Each structure stands twice: as structure tokens, then as C-alpha cells.
Amino acid sequence: MNSGQEDFIVQFVGVQKSYDGETLVVKDLNLNVQRGEFLTMLGPSGSGKTTVLMMLAGFEVPTHGEILLNGQPINNVPPHKRGIGMVFQNYALFPHMTIAENLAFPLQVRRMGKAEAEEKVNRALSMVRLDGFGNRRPAQLSGGQQQRVAVARALVFEPELVLMDEPLGALDKNLREEMQFEIKHIHDSLGVSVVYVTHDQSEALTMSNRIAVFDDGVIQQLATPPTLYEEPENAFVAAFIGENNRLTGRITGTNGNSCTVELDSGGTVEALAVNIAGQGEKTTLSLRPERVLINPPQDKYPNTFEAKVEELIYLGDHIRTRINFAGNDQFVVKVPNAQGHAIIDEGGSVRVGWAMEDCRALDAS
Amino acid sequence: MAEATLDQGDLMRTADGTPLKISIARAMRRNKLKALALIAPLFVFILFSFLIPIIDMSLRSVDNSVIPDVLPNTVAALADWDGEGLPPEEAFAALAADMKAGRESRDIGKVATRLNYELSGMRGTVMGTARRIASVDEGPYQEALIKANKDWSDPATWKLLKRLSSPYTMGYYLNAVDMRFDVDGNIEAQPDFRQIYVDLFLRTFWMSILITGLTILLGYPIAHLMATLPLRYSNLLMILVLLPFWTSLLVRTTAWIVMLQSEGVLNDLLVWVGVFSDDARPQLVYNKIGTIVAMTHILLPFMVLPLYSVMKTIPPSYMRAARSLGANQFTAFVRIYMPQTLSGIGAGSILVFILAIGYYITPALVGGTSGTLISNQIAYHMQQSLNWGLAAALGVILLATVIALYFLYNRIVGVDKMKLG
């Protein structure tokens, strides 16, 4: 076997998908999922991420290209022969069966012996901390419990790969965070590969080994969570992941890895050249609010400006400060509520500054 | 201050000291009265157009008041008779007196009809005797009556009268299940040539079950299609399913006659294709086949609609989940989808079955003699033979069956799970 492919459980090779023959929902997808990895497909609705998941599960057929599972093409393999576990958004627990029957279903269709199946069901139930719930019906369980049953059912037949389609979307915030850790721990302890779909970026950042950011049927960036947040490669990823100050301008000069940008609204900024077309071309600058300093030491940063404070919102751990910077009044600065933090007055004037590396010059859109 | 717990002596009270329960009742009374006033017209309508007629008709199935009412003296005179031999002279005298009175009030005809239900030929006996006895003014009446009609010398005739002395009778019900009282008042089976109702009940049941089964078979796929197609197409299908509702029942039934008769569309087609030769056209109408085909068609929407409304609520992710768990299409359908549609099948089945066992117009038109159902016999006794007591007894048996089935359904499936639309 080719040793280069051995690490990948799933490979998408030039996969395209169109429903109506006019527009492509997925455009030329090339993606390798490593064995044992927790890979999240993150994107706004309509970005094609769920379609990719459905093609992998076998419920949709690629219009073009090939999907490989363990190096074998599976385009013509029906869903029930793929051996992929799946957790659905609404859990899809069979309402006419008890929890134990739900969990036993995948084992029964595999013609497993009764005793062995029962043992596996019990083990799966204790894995999700629901011992003794076997005789209840799904409707008698809370949302979080149903969710855990759905995860257990997708894992009980010991698939190598589990797909999850926004499984936590219906839960409230606290429960969702709890379940994020629970799913993460199950993944870590079983070593199963997970492909997870969500539109919730914090969910993606919390759980994933790698995140593929989807937009418009294309993977915009595939990277680990810290890389994705700190080093977005294009304007879409920068805007989609985390909060972001967006400034537009024109490149007037480059110097090694830095460039000089003249803002549309006036003023000149030194930025890190990441994804720029060249001198004279338009660019989008991305700057995280927490990387902007209030009253920075004199001459420490190349970018230091005077700005008017428009609004202060007290959020406990930090103060969200909206300032008017170079004609852009949506510019946000997060001031940490640390000891001796700067005292700012609404309507007053303030000096802000940031390092060249924190201001990333990206593509124009 | 008021305690949260309610003791015997310490009731919860409102601010002005009225017990809380009383003031709640007062506050709710107005709303209750309003709600009652809104449903009152419907309740009165149902009461007079449905409940009272049904109760009245049901009572006719045991009603025997005509004999005690028209022949009061005879009934009294026969009360002490031991049933051995002929009754004493007083009974003959009483009967003669009752007949004269009955002839004058023109009620004697009812007695004649009633007695004729129990024993054929009694109509002539009673009417003839009444006519001849009118001119006899003095006894002995035994001789006079026997002279008027020799049936009065037969103890069986008198036993019949004595048996029918009570204002209530089980006779109609026995009749309805092909039984009768023999001369001594014991229950026995009707002679073979008069046994029709049990067979007819059984035929009504198995044909209704068959029709219900056929509607499930034909309705399930179309309901499934309607539930899974995009809204645009499913709406069109829904219109097609409902289209028969906009056409008169009579028109639809006669259309089937046109389709199925010997020189009809279907037969012509079968002959043209060569399935049958021209002189061996199959009989498709005026028999069981006609009734089954036409009723299946007419009752189909009553199966499709409940099925559709249940299937609509089953998200496609269940099937997907089953398939991702390793079940093939067939297993997923049988083990996951079908069980969830059971409440729809149950609702549709009970609806179609109850409608079918009481169906009248269609079997009357296309049923001929072998394809008619019990309801046609009830109609016959209501309109032709005017034996309302028997019609009522047949109707009550049918109603009791429906109610029993309903409770059975409630036990097994649960009426609260029934979805009709």
C-alpha cells in the first residue's frame, strides 16, 4: 500500500456537487481526513458543508470526483455498507423503540448474537453515563440525554468514522458546552475519527483538531484552531472566526513581509503582508479587537492613532470600546478589566496603537 | 397570615375573607356559561337529529306494546292460563271483545302484522276472525272463534299470544341472528331457507375487512409519495385524492357501472386485448366484485388522509439514521418507518371499516344480490316490509359492533393517537 495514503481515513478528490445542474454547491473539494482526527467543517448555512457530509455518508452522490474511505472509492457503496456512524441534528432516535432497542438496532442488522449485543449496549450506555435508562423511550429523556443516546448509537457498532451534523444545535447554551467536552472526551478515549459539521465557531474551536472553513462551496482555509484564529488567510475567515476589525485600503508600498496601506477613509497603516495582490491593489486589513492597545507606550508600535470614543459597554471581564478611527466608527477595542486598566470616557479622545504583525493585509473582498 | 397548607379549620381566603375556592368558582362560572352557550345550539341539534332518533329506533327493537295495548283483556285472561290444552272460555270471550274494539279503532291490523312476523299466516287469521266475530254478540265464544278460523283450536296459536303478552320481546333480535321461539317459547334456529342475516353479517364483515385491506394496500404508497414529494407536487396529488369528494357519490357509483358492466369499458378492453373472448365476458358488476371495487375506490381517501397526516410528521432523518446504522432500504422501511405509521393505519382502518360495514348506496346500486350488505337489508325492512322492529334490531347489532371495535381500537392503539388530518 502507498505509505503516503495510509494516514488518511477519508479523501475527497476533486469532488463537485450540483443539485440543479446550474450551480455548484460544492466546487472542487480536495480534503484529506487523518485517522483519529477530529475534523470540523465550519461555515455559514448554504456553504456546502452539510452536502459534503451527506456525500460522505452516502445520502448524496457526487456529481464529479471521488471519495475514498480507507483508500477505497465508495461512490457506488450504499450508505448501509459504508459502516460510518452518524449523529443527526434532531438526534433521529426511533420513537417507537426503547433506548436499549435503539442502541441494539445497528447490532441486530449486523446479526450480532443477543448476549454480545446486550453487553455492547450496556457498555455504550455507561460510556455516555446513562446506565439504567435502557428501558425508557426517547420522548422520556431530556434533550441532552437524547443527544448522548444518539452519540452512543452512532458508536455502538464500533465504526472507524463518525459523522456529526450539527448535533448540538437544539441544546441550550450551558448544555451545549457540557456536551462539547463530553464528545471531545469520547473522541479522545476511543480514538475514532470524527467529521463534525457546525456553524458555531466556538464549538469548532473548542472541539477540533483541525477546522475546514467553508464558504461558497470552497474550503477557505484548513488549519488548527489557533492558526485559524490568529493567522486567517483571507478576509472571509478573518471575519467569520472571532471578532474582527475590518479596514479597507490600497497598498502603497511593500517592505519584506510588511506593507504600507493607505486606508480608504484616510490615514496610513503598517500591516503584515499575508495575502495581497501587489502594489496599488486593494486590500482588506484584519485586526483583532484584543490586539489593539489603549495608550500604548510611545514609539513602541508603528501604528499609533488618535481616536474618538463612541461607546463603552461593560462586559465584566472586559470593556468593549467602540471608537471612531479614521472615519470608521465601528472600530472595536477590547479593554481587559485588569488592574490599573485605562480609564476611558465616552465622547473623549484616546490614543490607540497595535503591532504591525497583528494587522493582517488580506485579499480585497 | 394564610398558610400554604390547607387545614380543616384554616381555609385559604382572599383579601375580603371569602374562601379562595368559592371565589375561584365564581370567577370561572361566567366563562363556563359562555362556553356552554356557544355549544348549546349544536348540542340541541345533535340531541334532536341524532341521539333521540337513535334511542327511539333502538327501543323499537325490543318494543312489543302493540299486543298488550290492543288486546288488553286477552292478555289479562291468558295471564293465569297454564298453557296446557286450550285456554278457558274467558280467554275466547276476551279475545272476541278485544277484536271488536280493535276493529272499530282500526288497530287490529297492527296486531295482525305483528303476529305475522312470528308466525306466517297469522295476518289472514286475525283479520278474517275480526271480520267474522264482529257480528257475534253472545257466547260461547270458543265455538264462534273456532268457527271463524280453525287456527283458534290450535293451542300453539294461544301460546303465541301468551308469549307476546309482555310489552317487551327478544323476538326481533332472535330474528336478526336467524333464531326464533318455538311453540313452547324455547329458542331454536330458523329453518334453513329462512336463514339469511348471519350470512349477511359475515359477508358484510369480511367484505369490509377486505375493502379496508385494499385501501391500505392502495393508499399507503400514494400517502407516502404525498408526504415525501416537494410541496408543489404533493399539493397536486392531494387535489387528485380529494377530487372524488367533489363528485356526487351517485355519479361515482354509476360511473363504475359504466366501467364494469358486460358491455362496459373494462370488458371491451379485456376482449380487445384478448384476455377474454367476446362470448365469455366476465361479470364484474352486480355482484361482490362490483361492490368491492366501487367501495374501495370511494373509501380510499378516508385511508389516504390519515396516513398522509401521520407520514408528514415523520422526518426523513429517521430513515437516514437507520441506513447509516447499517440497515438496507427494506429493513429500514419495515423496522423504522412502518411502525411509526401504525397510528395512521389504525385511524384509517377504523374509519374505512366503520364506513364500510354501514355502507348502503353503493352496494345497493352495484351489488346485485350477492354483493349487498346488511345495511341494504335494514333499508329493505325500513322501506319495503315495514318491519321496523327487525330493522332496529339489525341496526343495534351493527351499532354495538362498531362501538365494540372502537373500544378495542382504543385499547390496542389509543384513540388519542388517532390523526385524521
Side-chain angles (χ1 to χ4, degrees):
Chain A
M1 189 183 271
N2 187 334
S3 62
Q5 293 191 340
E6 225 165 340
D7 295 326
F8 300 129
I9 183 159
V10 175
Q11 288 166 284
F12 291 90
V13 185
V15 170
Q16 293 182 322
K17 176 67 184 177
S18 174
Y19 287 106
D20 55 5
E22 287 169 15
T23 50
L24 281 171
V25 185
V26 175
K27 299 169 185 166
D28 193 27
L29 175 74
N30 292 287
L31 173 65
N32 295 329
V33 182
Q34 286 160 16
R35 192 173 301 280
E37 176 180 41
F38 195 119
L39 183 124
T40 298
M41 298 196 276
L42 174 69
S45 56
S47 60
K49 58 190 192 303
T50 299
T51 306
V52 171
L53 199 72
M54 289 299 161
M55 286 194 286
L56 182 50
F59 299 125
E60 299 287 354
V61 183
T63 316
H64 179 81
E66 202 144 25
I67 303 173
L68 306 177
L69 182 68
N70 287 324
Q72 301 297 318
I74 53 167
N75 281 19
N76 295 319
V77 179
H80 64 278
K81 290 195 176 148
R82 295 192 179 190
I84 301 176
M86 185 152 182
V87 181
F88 291 81
Q89 190 167 12
N90 59 2
Y91 320 139
L93 299 179
F94 308 136
H96 59 293
M97 294 182 178
T98 64
I99 300 307
E101 286 166 346
N102 261 284
L103 292 182
F105 183 78
L107 306 176
Q108 281 169 6
V109 297
R110 287 177 170 73
R111 311 208 180 285
M112 186 179 284
K114 214 165 186 186
E116 195 186 353
E118 197 170 329
E119 193 207 316
K120 287 202 178 198
V121 166
N122 287 335
R123 214 185 311 148
L125 275 175
S126 57
M127 176 183 74
V128 292
R129 297 182 287 111
L130 285 174
D131 306 82
F133 280 76
N135 287 325
R136 302 216 194 165
R137 300 240 166 212
Q140 292 168 305
L141 265 54
S142 71
Q145 289 169 336
Q146 290 185 33
Q147 175 57 60
R148 299 217 290 268
V149 174
V151 171
R153 190 179 62 176
L155 290 165
V156 72
F157 60 99
E158 290 163 10
E160 293 180 283
L161 174 65
V162 176
L163 313 181
M164 301 194 185
D165 183 13
E166 308 213 19
L168 307 181
L171 301 179
D172 63 46
K173 191 167 175 290
N174 288 338
L175 205 51
R176 196 158 64 218
E177 284 168 4
E178 196 183 304
M179 281 306 298
Q180 286 171 12
F181 292 118
E182 198 155 324
I183 291 175
K184 184 78 187 136
H185 290 151
I186 287 172
H187 167 253
D188 290 344
S189 62
L190 294 185
V192 64
S193 311
V194 177
V195 176
Y196 191 99
V197 160
T198 183
H199 63 265
D200 182 336
Q201 45 152 312
S202 73
E203 202 168 289
L205 293 174
T206 309
M207 303 171 78
S208 318
N209 297 126
R210 285 195 302 163
I211 301 172
V213 180
F214 272 75
D215 186 46
D216 198 23
V218 174
I219 294 183
Q220 301 288 337
Q221 188 170 355
L222 173 64
T224 61
T227 311
L228 209 58
Y229 186 83
E230 284 165 31
E231 296 163 25
E233 276 171 6
N234 60 40
F236 175 82
V237 175
F240 193 73
I241 309 280
E243 204 175 358
N244 175 50
N245 286 311
R246 189 164 170 272
L247 302 166
T248 53
R250 202 171 286 278
I251 296 154
T252 53
T254 52
N255 177 18
N257 62 356
S258 79
C259 60
T260 313
V261 177
E262 196 177 301
L263 299 178
D264 293 344
S265 49
T268 311
V269 174
E270 288 284 313
L272 185 70
V274 179
N275 184 7
I276 56 173
Q279 201 154 343
E281 296 296 321
K282 296 189 90 170
T283 182
T284 307
L285 299 180
S286 160
L287 179 59
R288 299 287 181 200
E290 66 272 20
R291 295 293 171 93
V292 180
L293 262 76
I294 301 289
N295 297 332
Q298 205 74 36
D299 299 329
K300 182 173 182 189
Y301 298 130
N303 302 306
T304 318
F305 303 94
E306 284 289 319
K308 183 166 169 275
V309 179
E310 297 278 347
E311 190 183 21
L312 295 173
I313 299 170
Y314 182 79
L315 289 167
D317 61 337
H318 72 269
I319 299 152
R320 199 181 143 87
T321 310
R322 187 161 64 82
I323 62 175
N324 187 333
F325 164 70
N328 180 352
D329 66 354
Q330 296 300 324
F331 197 94
V332 173
V333 181
K334 282 183 185 167
V335 183
N337 193 358
Q339 193 161 28
H341 71 86
I343 305 298
I344 313 160
D345 296 322
E346 217 167 86
S349 186
V350 76
R351 210 159 52 83
V352 294
W354 58 85
M356 180 274 288
E357 294 81 14
D358 289 330
C359 183
R360 298 169 67 82
L362 305 170
D363 55 319
S365 69
Chain B
M1 289 310 289
E3 302 260 319
T5 50
L6 278 173
D7 295 331
Q8 286 291 85
D10 187 23
L11 283 169
M12 287 273 236
R13 286 173 190 282
T14 53
D16 64 350
T18 342
L20 197 56
K21 284 194 172 180
I22 292 178
S23 41
I24 285 180
R26 248 182 232 158
M28 302 298 285
R29 193 173 303 148
R30 235 180 108 79
N31 278 337
K32 274 188 191 161
L33 284 175
K34 263 192 220 165
L36 276 180
L38 278 173
I39 60 157
L42 178 64
F43 178 73
V44 170
F45 178 75
I46 296 276
L47 187 71
F48 282 98
S49 68
F50 189 68
L51 285 179
I52 290 177
I54 281 189
I55 291 166
D56 182 61
M57 272 313 289
S58 310
L59 289 179
R60 278 172 194 270
S61 64
V62 291
D63 179 54
N64 191 44
S65 56
V66 64
I67 306 284
D69 282 357
V70 182
L71 307 177
N73 301 314
T74 318
V75 167
L78 285 177
D80 298 330
W81 177 46
D82 59 1
E84 293 297 320
L86 283 175
E89 168 67 14
E90 304 94 84
F92 283 88
L95 181 62
D98 283 340
M99 280 189 162
K100 282 181 204 165
R103 202 169 127 79
E104 248 156 63
S105 65
R106 295 175 185 278
D107 283 336
I108 197 68
K110 291 183 194 164
V111 174
T113 309
R114 176 70 188 91
L115 289 176
N116 202 54
Y117 292 152
E118 301 292 330
L119 192 62
S120 309
M122 279 303 284
R123 171 185 293 276
T125 307
V126 172
M127 294 310 283
T129 311
R131 196 168 59 242
R132 290 189 192 157
I133 207 73
S135 55
V136 179
D137 288 331
E138 54 187 40
Y141 285 101
Q142 177 165 1
E143 212 172 291
L145 279 171
I146 291 172
K147 200 180 144 199
N149 193 312
K150 65 175 180 343
D151 281 355
W152 299 113
S153 64
D154 184 354
T157 315
W158 291 96
K159 278 181 183 167
L160 175 66
L161 267 182
K162 183 175 166 66
R163 186 158 54 73
L164 295 178
S165 300
S166 155
Y168 301 103
T169 177
M170 286 305 292
Y172 294 122
Y173 281 103
L174 288 179
N175 234 325
V177 293
D178 290 339
M179 307 282 226
R180 65 175 182 188
F181 288 109
D182 67 5
V183 180
D184 296 319
N186 300 315
I187 294 169
E188 62 170 21
Q190 293 267 23
D192 282 348
F193 69 96
R194 298 196 58 176
Q195 289 191 3
I196 47 172
Y197 300 115
V198 170
D199 283 350
L200 206 53
F201 269 118
L202 290 178
R203 182 202 290 172
T204 306
F205 275 111
W206 78 253
M207 278 178 64
S208 299
I209 289 168
L210 182 67
I211 289 164
T212 309
L214 285 173
T215 54
I216 294 173
L217 233 60
L218 296 174
Y220 202 93
I222 193 81
H224 180 69
L225 199 62
M226 267 162 64
T228 47
L229 275 182
L231 201 63
R232 214 148 44 102
Y233 303 105
S234 70
N235 276 343
L236 186 71
L237 263 181
M238 179 63 105
I239 289 171
L240 291 179
V241 167
L242 291 178
L243 202 61
F245 277 140
W246 304 342
T247 324
S248 151
L249 182 62
L250 221 52
V251 172
R252 274 179 283 157
T253 305
T254 39
W256 274 113
I257 296 176
V258 174
M259 287 290 290
L260 298 177
Q261 64 192 346
S262 300
E263 303 297 320
V265 179
L266 191 61
N267 258 322
D268 283 348
L269 192 72
L270 288 175
V271 168
W272 184 70
V273 171
V275 181
F276 296 104
S277 68
D278 198 24
D279 48 357
R281 289 171 179 247
Q283 179 72 21
L284 297 175
V285 76
Y286 307 123
N287 57 12
K288 284 184 188 123
I289 298 175
T291 306
I292 290 167
V293 169
M295 278 179 67
T296 302
H297 169 244
I298 285 162
L299 295 176
L300 198 53
F302 295 99
M303 179 61 78
V304 173
L305 293 180
L307 276 177
Y308 168 72
S309 75
V310 167
M311 288 174 175
K312 193 92 183 132
T313 61
I314 302 173
S317 59
Y318 287 133
M319 281 292 275
R320 289 186 161 182
R323 302 213 55 203
S324 79
L325 292 171
N328 60 34
Q329 194 98 25
F330 180 76
T331 311
F333 187 80
V334 172
R335 297 234 7 228
I336 303 304
Y337 193 80
M338 288 241 293
Q340 295 187 61
T341 61
L342 275 184
S343 62
I345 295 177
S349 297
I350 195 157
L351 202 61
V352 169
F353 186 80
I354 286 175
L355 283 171
I357 62 171
Y359 227 64
Y360 164 64
I361 298 179
T362 303
L365 288 176
V366 301
T369 48
S370 67
T372 48
L373 304 180
I374 195 72
S375 55
N376 302 103
Q377 205 50 230
I378 294 176
Y380 168 76
H381 284 302
M382 288 296 290
Q383 294 165 345
Q384 311 285 320
S385 79
L386 300 182
N387 187 352
W388 287 16
L390 181 56
L394 291 169
V396 167
I397 290 174
L398 207 55
L399 183 66
T401 313
V402 168
I403 291 172
L405 277 173
Y406 180 82
F407 277 103
L408 200 69
Y409 175 84
N410 192 19
R411 257 289 178 68
I412 296 169
V413 183
V415 168
D416 51 329
K417 286 194 189 136
M418 188 147 105
K419 282 184 185 151
L420 292 180

